Amino acid sequence: MGSPCPQTAAAHFKLELAELEDRHHLTFDTYEEGKLTLEEYLGRVVFHQKRPFTRAEFRHFMFAQSKPYPEMIELIRKLRQSTD
């Protein structure tokens, strides 16, 4: 999925950017390595305190920010062709 953009999420959900970025930087590598689920990541970064929005709303926002990464798509396409 790639790194979610803390600045965009902070602005949209009216979160304190510095705190969100600190928590994101402390946690994202562990999440990206597959050692945390998305729910665990969100629990540590966003939902460590009560929020006026739900996890589902936050996840929906995150996924809506996802954009294709053409270079990665091409790499996977080439790798796939080389194994056929």
Side-chain angles (χ1 to χ4, degrees):
M1 174 174 64
S3 177
C5 179
Q7 296 86 356
T8 305
H12 183 81
F13 289 100
K14 297 176 178 58
L15 301 170
E16 184 182 327
L17 179 59
E19 179 186 17
L20 185 66
E21 285 183 326
D22 286 347
R23 289 178 165 278
H24 170 76
H25 290 300
L26 288 171
T27 308
F28 187 72
D29 289 343
T30 306
Y31 166 70
E32 194 170 50
E33 292 170 358
K35 296 178 182 174
L36 289 177
T37 66
L38 177 58
E39 289 307 310
E40 291 168 323
Y41 168 83
L42 292 177
R44 292 180 182 189
V45 176
V46 179
F47 293 96
H48 57 282
Q49 64 185 55
K50 190 169 176 69
R51 300 291 186 188
F53 50 87
T54 66
R55 285 176 182 250
E57 290 169 322
F58 196 87
R59 279 192 314 273
H60 178 76
F61 176 82
M62 280 178 62
F63 296 144
Q65 308 310 303
S66 295
K67 305 281 186 260
Y69 186 47
E71 292 84 2
M72 184 59 70
I73 293 169
E74 184 58 29
L75 173 63
I76 298 301
R77 193 173 285 134
K78 286 179 180 178
L79 288 172
R80 201 162 172 216
Q81 287 174 352
S82 70
T83 61
D84 287 343

